[in-house]
Amino acid sequence: MARKKKKGSVTGQLVLAARSARTALLHSLDTTEIYPGQDNVLITIGKSDGITLRDLAEKLAVRPPTVTKTINRLVAQGLVEKRSSETDLRQSRAHLTEAGAALVDKVLKAQKSLERRALAGFTDRERKAFRRYLIRVQHNLAEATAEAASEDGS
């Protein structure tokens, strides 16, 4: 009697796919000497140069201390400049340096190339559906996280 092959969990497969995508992106950005997660920080700053660190943390869905640590690392690498806000000295704003702006272009090209490879063989309809599914998963998990935080009193 033939045994059925056990199916893995969808979220487990999602984690593996995300890890593979991150690894492939880092290999294609090998010469840029950036750390995981810094690519999205640079892109977000590139889209909103002068963004406050608080707004950056919100857009990236991470905690402010995580953004502060990442920004400090990017400042040390000469990719980002951190300046005090002209209107509120308690806030800092992130600006790309010339080197940071040049790197954003490389990162965007690498991400586009990665997406083409990852979705090779998908029809346009399948790509759109897949993106919608991923957005729904993200929203579902964000809602669950928000509910858990409100129950904990956070």
Side-chain angles (χ1 to χ4, degrees):
M1 178 183 336
R3 291 176 47 182
K4 284 187 178 181
K5 186 177 178 183
K6 266 192 170 180
K7 294 181 182 178
S9 72
V10 172
T11 52
Q13 198 61 49
L14 183 62
V15 169
L16 290 174
R19 188 178 302 140
S20 293
R22 169 64 52 204
T23 300
L25 183 63
L26 288 175
H27 282 296
S28 64
L29 294 172
D30 195 17
T31 60
T32 61
E33 298 177 15
I34 61 172
Y35 298 96
Q38 288 182 333
D39 53 330
N40 286 324
V41 173
L42 290 169
I43 288 170
T44 304
I45 296 169
K47 289 178 182 173
S48 303
D49 199 49
I51 189 170
T52 65
L53 299 192
R54 179 180 306 207
D55 289 344
L56 183 59
E58 192 174 300
K59 281 190 180 211
L60 296 171
V62 297
R63 296 171 42 93
T66 303
V67 164
T68 300
K69 182 179 178 182
T70 302
I71 291 297
N72 289 338
R73 202 178 255 177
L74 290 167
V75 167
Q77 291 171 266
L79 302 172
V80 170
E81 205 173 85
K82 189 165 81 169
R83 300 183 206 147
S84 294
S85 171
E86 293 176 6
T87 56
D88 184 351
L89 297 178
R90 295 171 297 174
Q91 288 190 346
S92 293
R93 295 186 175 274
H95 300 269
L96 291 177
T97 63
E98 282 186 37
L103 186 54
V104 166
D105 290 336
K106 287 182 183 177
V107 169
L108 288 171
K109 286 177 185 172
Q111 285 182 342
K112 197 172 239 179
S113 172
L114 172 68
E115 186 164 325
R116 277 194 304 272
R117 285 186 307 172
L119 299 178
F122 282 63
T123 65
D124 283 343
R125 189 175 188 180
E126 289 171 329
R127 287 173 193 244
K128 288 175 185 174
F130 186 56
R131 185 173 188 279
R132 282 195 315 271
Y133 298 149
L134 289 174
I135 290 169
R136 272 182 32 202
V137 168
Q138 184 181 3
H139 285 260
N140 290 346
L141 294 175
E143 286 175 13
T145 302
E147 287 173 13
S150 67
E151 288 174 4
D152 290 344
S154 301

